[in-house]
Amino acid sequence: MATYQRPTWRTLKLLESAIMKHLATPKTTKSLVAAAVSLGLCGAFVSPSAHADQYASQSDFGGVGLMQMPNARFADYGTLSGLYYDNEEYRRLAVSLQLFPWLETTIRYNDIRPIKYSADPNFSGDQTGKDKGFDVKLRLWEESYWLPQVAVGWRDLAGTGIFASEYLVASKQFGPLDVTLGMGWGYMGRRDNISNPFCELSDRFCVREGGFSGRGGRFETDKWFRGEASVFGGLQYQTPFDPLVLKAEYDGNDYSNERYLGQLEVDSAWNFGADYAVTDNWTLKLSYERGNTLMFGFSGQIDLNNMGQVKTANRRVPTPNTQTALTRAEDKDDKRRFRQAAGDFYTFGGLSVLEMQDDRSAQSDEVDTLRVYGQQLYYRDSTQGIRQIARIAEQRLPENYKFVEVVEQHDQIQLNTTVIDLEEARIAIQNLDLSTELEDSFTRKDTDLAQREETGFYEAQYKRTWPRISVRPFLDQSFGNPENFYMYQFGLDVNASMWLAPGTFAHGTLSGNLMTNFDEFNFLVDNFASPLPRVRTYVREYVTYSDIWLSNLQLSHVNQLAPNVYTSVYGGYLERMFGGVGTELLYRELDSNWAVGVDLNWVKQRDYDSHTGFLDYDTFTGHITGYYEPSFLPNTLIKAAYGKFLAQDNGLQLNVEHKFKSGVLVGAYAAKTNISSAEYGEGSFTKGFYISFPIDLLQTEHSPNRGYIGWTPLTRDGGQMLNRSIQLFHATDLRSPFYKE
């Protein structure tokens, strides 16, 4: 627990006088500099060395802050926060993610209560006005003993511009007190109590051109840090009663020009609030703002980085000193013992064994290596399965075997080989040397394709033609629609797959609706003549045609042409809206931080009034895709795909995803093509966000499967890619340290 020197009452009064003095001075750049210096000097005498994350509470807009104003604090890495806040004019829903220790991102919906969504009741009924926004805050430097923590941020970065703001802010800790001082532009700068310092660099920073963009989805860089500016600040106090935090702030907005609402009544520039932590994850919020408005709400958070579920399933390998210890095979001709070993590899190690081969030592004619081909079906962390296999092999295999090579596969593609040195493994397993870990006996290497023989001395006894069937629920959802703010479809997918030949399999999904309100959807396309074909905006027709539909049904073949080179060909009903044929080629080296692939597809649009028919529209679509895992952004994958999209527009899709320690993946994508913002329509370009999470985070059993939750602000026809069910980069995840759990 961090310790601190409690500030004296005289110190706090001097601090308050310094802040108020500079807020009252004429609008000059010098006043801001002097205030910041005063704040830093005061912190030199009373600041602790404690980390400041204890001050990470949600603001009224979402994201860490005071109330209406932000501060320079950040939540713990991996924190996903949700906020609901309400007052007479605005109601807000926000989700914030601490994507990196230095980067906070926020998605927010604003409900503008006094106005209607539209003037046409047939279009949106009595739903109130909605506006969405996206915020970003970056930490410039961390707090030290002498200096405050400093951050820069953008609010409503790519929205309609109603709440668009930029800000620089500093926060400094004084014992239980956290003090914030900052400067805001745009929405946060309307009090206009200080000159814009950037005017001294160029006259163009003195005026903020235009008002509200209205269309949304555009990064209006020509407005950043321009026009009126205001100083804002505040205090956050951790009371001796642990769950209670008190806040006070000086607001940089005078609310004289609220979009749609005009001028709001303001009796005071000061806002006061309190946060009460009901539990470690839930907080109630209450504030009195503008001198006349009561606001309330609540926030919650989860830790995506450290979340998990204790596993109660017992798959511990019996030890040699127990009655249930495994029985060692006498030699490789002991077929029964090897069948038992293969069964144990699956029972305890999760490896579905397809084949076993042996290899002779290079120094003698003695067989000393067992090669096992299989696919991990139980453990998300493949290394955990290898540890179990090492324990089984140490007990089961004849003593002439010195090494085990585990060749891991996915859909019969050989991905990597782990060599287990059984002598070293035995030292670790039997604790003969406490400094030796079991992982020390593992060596990871690429697979030698030439080593695989036609048939090994053991082959799995099963029929490839047996179909595999699974059932799982799905949830499609959309937010911010005119008919209903939240629209959803909940149902079940019945998945079936069947191997027809090595590398060739048929697979499909039959979907059924259980409940939905998408039948209320009546928005078809913008009220202008779009130059794009309707490739995605027929979503209502597809969703509401039938309660049972064929999502996809296709024949696929995957193959490894050469070391590091993988291919696939496929054909059939490829997704709910398109069918056709296609091929993909991927080059990916083992444990490399880059890969490159290319796909080419001819597709035809499926008929939304038929389960199996097609419409007249067809096109070629395909992309060259680069994959890069930069060393300067740990656990982050950047994907850039350039090519032709479904609506025959050409351009680039950029996708960035980050992986937390728990295995949760969080990603965002955006596509910009040769279609202009005006031709594209509301939103300006295609973009979306998603979370992919391991299923075993929610259960006591291990599982390699994952769930997916996506959010797309608006569905339009530009920048749309084919949803291919077979993608080689994901099929070869085990070749990358990024996906290695």
Side-chain angles (χ1 to χ4, degrees), residues 239-482:
T239 69
F241 179 51
D242 229 24
L244 183 62
V245 173
L246 302 178
K247 297 180 179 182
E249 72 177 5
Y250 179 82
D251 200 332
N253 184 14
D254 63 2
Y255 302 92
S256 61
N257 186 22
E258 296 292 293
R259 178 66 166 172
Y260 303 119
L261 304 182
Q263 182 172 355
L264 299 182
E265 183 179 353
V266 177
D267 295 332
S268 173
W270 287 90
N271 304 322
F272 302 93
D275 288 3
Y276 181 80
V278 180
T279 69
D280 289 341
N281 297 320
W282 291 98
T283 301
L284 296 179
K285 308 171 72 65
L286 185 68
S287 61
Y288 188 68
E289 303 183 12
R290 306 201 304 266
N292 55 27
T293 301
L294 187 67
M295 303 181 71
F296 73 93
F298 59 88
S299 63
Q301 64 180 36
I302 58 175
D303 184 357
L304 295 183
N305 191 49
N306 297 303
M307 68 185 301
Q309 173 67 51
V310 176
K311 301 295 182 284
T312 59
N314 182 16
R315 290 208 174 190
R316 181 174 297 177
V317 179
T319 57
N321 58 356
T322 65
Q323 292 183 351
T324 57
L326 306 179
T327 304
R328 185 182 302 278
E330 295 182 1
D331 54 52
K332 79 164 191 172
D333 295 325
D334 191 348
K335 302 299 185 183
R336 185 171 66 90
R337 296 299 184 198
F338 272 98
R339 284 197 299 271
Q340 291 175 345
D344 291 337
F345 285 158
Y346 177 73
T347 301
F348 299 108
L351 188 77
S352 177
V353 178
L354 302 175
E355 192 172 333
M356 290 186 189
Q357 301 175 358
D358 56 25
D359 205 353
R360 300 185 184 278
S361 169
Q363 287 74 32
S364 69
D365 197 40
E366 182 183 0
V367 174
D368 70 346
T369 300
L370 175 69
R371 189 173 302 111
V372 181
Y373 294 86
Q375 181 168 343
Q376 179 58 246
L377 299 179
Y378 183 69
Y379 289 108
R380 171 165 54 98
D381 181 355
S382 64
T383 303
Q384 191 168 353
I386 298 295
R387 285 195 293 265
Q388 297 283 78
I389 291 170
R391 295 179 182 276
I392 297 165
E394 191 270 335
Q395 293 187 50
R396 280 288 195 195
L397 299 186
E399 293 185 352
N400 61 290
Y401 284 110
K402 307 301 181 185
F403 302 94
V404 174
E405 294 186 358
V406 182
V407 182
E408 292 191 81
Q409 302 185 170
H410 179 83
D411 291 341
Q412 300 190 8
I413 298 176
Q414 300 176 35
L415 300 178
N416 67 82
T417 298
T418 302
V419 181
I420 305 172
D421 185 329
L422 291 180
E423 292 288 344
E424 192 166 4
R426 184 172 295 111
I427 293 173
I429 292 169
Q430 299 181 9
N431 295 318
L432 301 178
D433 180 0
L434 296 181
S435 64
T436 300
E437 299 289 341
L438 185 55
E439 286 77 4
D440 296 337
S441 65
F442 303 163
T443 302
R444 180 175 162 92
K445 69 173 187 177
D446 215 339
T447 300
D448 186 351
L449 298 179
Q451 284 183 333
R452 187 155 193 178
E453 304 170 2
E454 287 288 331
T455 304
F457 69 83
Y458 170 86
E459 190 172 10
Q461 300 298 311
Y462 71 94
K463 295 183 179 180
R464 296 184 184 278
T465 55
W466 287 359
R468 294 175 56 188
I469 300 176
S470 63
V471 179
R472 65 182 181 185
F474 71 86
L475 175 64
D476 291 333
Q477 52 190 346
S478 179
F479 297 87
N481 300 281

Side-chain angles (χ1 to χ4, degrees), residues 420-561:
I420 305 172
D421 185 329
L422 291 180
E423 292 288 344
E424 192 166 4
R426 184 172 295 111
I427 293 173
I429 292 169
Q430 299 181 9
N431 295 318
L432 301 178
D433 180 0
L434 296 181
S435 64
T436 300
E437 299 289 341
L438 185 55
E439 286 77 4
D440 296 337
S441 65
F442 303 163
T443 302
R444 180 175 162 92
K445 69 173 187 177
D446 215 339
T447 300
D448 186 351
L449 298 179
Q451 284 183 333
R452 187 155 193 178
E453 304 170 2
E454 287 288 331
T455 304
F457 69 83
Y458 170 86
E459 190 172 10
Q461 300 298 311
Y462 71 94
K463 295 183 179 180
R464 296 184 184 278
T465 55
W466 287 359
R468 294 175 56 188
I469 300 176
S470 63
V471 179
R472 65 182 181 185
F474 71 86
L475 175 64
D476 291 333
Q477 52 190 346
S478 179
F479 297 87
N481 300 281
E483 305 84 357
N484 195 318
F485 177 74
Y486 178 63
M487 304 193 75
Y488 64 90
Q489 183 174 52
F490 177 71
L492 292 176
D493 283 338
V494 179
N495 304 288
S497 62
M498 182 172 61
W499 288 100
L500 304 178
T504 302
F505 56 100
H507 54 108
T509 301
L510 187 68
S511 301
N513 173 59
L514 295 180
M515 61 179 65
T516 183
N517 65 352
F518 268 107
D519 54 346
E520 301 175 13
F521 187 85
N522 59 28
F523 181 71
L524 299 179
V525 75
D526 289 325
N527 293 324
F528 65 90
S530 172
L532 298 175
R534 299 278 300 279
V535 297
R536 293 297 187 204
T537 50
Y538 282 129
V539 58
R540 179 187 68 166
E541 286 81 354
Y542 284 106
V543 169
T544 60
Y545 165 67
S546 174
D547 284 336
I548 298 177
W549 63 93
L550 184 65
S551 291
N552 71 291
L553 179 62
Q554 66 184 76
L555 186 68
S556 301
H557 178 78
V558 292
N559 191 25
Q560 185 172 4
L561 291 182

Side-chain angles (χ1 to χ4, degrees), residues 19 23 32 35-36 39 66 69-72 150-151 166-171 179-185 188 193-194 229-234 250-252:
I19 294 174
L23 289 176
L32 177 63
L39 183 60
L66 294 166
M69 300 292 107
N71 59 21
V150 179
E166 306 82 49
Y167 59 88
L168 286 166
V169 63
S171 295
V179 182
T180 291
L181 183 65
M183 175 182 283
W185 290 260
M188 283 190 278
N193 57 22
I194 193 170
S230 291
V231 168
F232 63 84
Y250 179 82
D251 200 332

Side-chain angles (χ1 to χ4, degrees), residues 28-50:
T28 64
T29 305
K30 294 180 180 179
S31 67
L32 177 63
V33 175
V37 171
S38 298
L39 183 60
L41 290 177
C42 290
F45 294 101
V46 299
S47 69
S49 58

Side-chain angles (χ1 to χ4, degrees), residues 611-737:
H611 291 290
T612 58
F614 289 90
L615 301 177
D616 290 336
Y617 180 73
D618 64 85
T619 187
F620 281 96
T621 179
H623 294 80
I624 298 174
T625 305
Y627 307 86
Y628 180 52
E629 304 161 24
S631 58
F632 56 86
L633 289 177
N635 303 316
T636 301
L637 176 67
I638 300 173
K639 297 184 284 188
Y642 180 81
K644 185 177 181 181
F645 293 86
L646 284 172
Q648 302 182 7
D649 47 335
N650 300 299
L652 177 73
Q653 185 198 75
L654 185 66
N655 188 318
V656 180
E657 62 183 35
H658 182 75
K659 180 183 178 183
F660 295 104
K661 184 173 65 175
S662 65
V664 174
L665 286 169
V666 177
Y669 62 90
K672 187 63 178 175
T673 71
N674 57 345
I675 300 299
S676 69
S677 297
E679 292 172 316
Y680 179 90
E682 183 180 359
S684 298
F685 60 92
T686 290
K687 50 193 168 294
F689 311 88
Y690 59 90
I691 295 179
S692 173
F693 57 92
I695 294 296
D696 67 359
L697 294 181
L698 310 175
Q699 61 187 30
T700 57
E701 287 271 359
H702 291 276
S703 172
N705 298 321
R706 305 185 71 87
Y708 180 91
I709 299 174
W711 177 71
T712 302
L714 285 170
T715 298
R716 293 293 183 266
D717 295 309
Q720 296 291 344
M721 299 183 74
L722 182 69
N723 295 324
R724 295 181 291 119
S725 60
I726 301 296
Q727 298 192 33
L728 290 175
F729 186 81
H730 296 298
T732 58
D733 281 346
L734 285 176
R735 294 185 67 77
S736 168

Side-chain angles (χ1 to χ4, degrees), residues 55-173:
Y55 295 101
S57 63
Q58 295 289 293
S59 71
D60 297 355
F61 279 79
V64 175
L66 294 166
M67 286 165 283
Q68 294 289 316
M69 300 292 107
N71 59 21
R73 300 304 180 196
F74 291 80
D76 290 335
Y77 167 63
T79 299
L80 180 69
S81 303
L83 170 83
Y84 172 84
Y85 221 57
D86 202 336
N87 73 358
E88 185 176 352
E89 294 86 15
Y90 298 113
R91 179 165 42 193
R92 294 192 175 99
L93 294 171
V95 176
S96 300
L97 175 63
Q98 195 66 45
L99 191 60
F100 297 100
W102 46 268
L103 173 63
E104 174 192 87
T105 58
T106 301
I107 300 171
R108 178 182 55 260
Y109 271 99
N110 304 283
D111 181 17
I112 309 173
R113 306 180 76 168
I115 68 171
K116 298 296 184 183
Y117 193 101
S118 76
D120 183 1
N122 295 322
F123 177 60
S124 56
D126 59 356
Q127 186 179 181
T128 53
K130 299 294 187 293
D131 178 78
K132 56 185 171 291
F134 177 63
D135 305 347
V136 170
K137 182 165 69 173
L138 302 169
R139 186 180 65 205
L140 298 182
W141 64 78
E142 290 187 84
E143 181 177 12
S144 66
Y145 190 88
W146 299 99
L147 297 174
Q149 185 156 287
V150 179
V152 60
W154 291 260
R155 183 176 288 176
D156 206 0
L157 180 62
T160 58
I162 295 178
F163 304 102
S165 307
E166 306 82 49
Y167 59 88
L168 286 166
V169 63
S171 295
K172 194 75 181 76
Q173 182 180 345

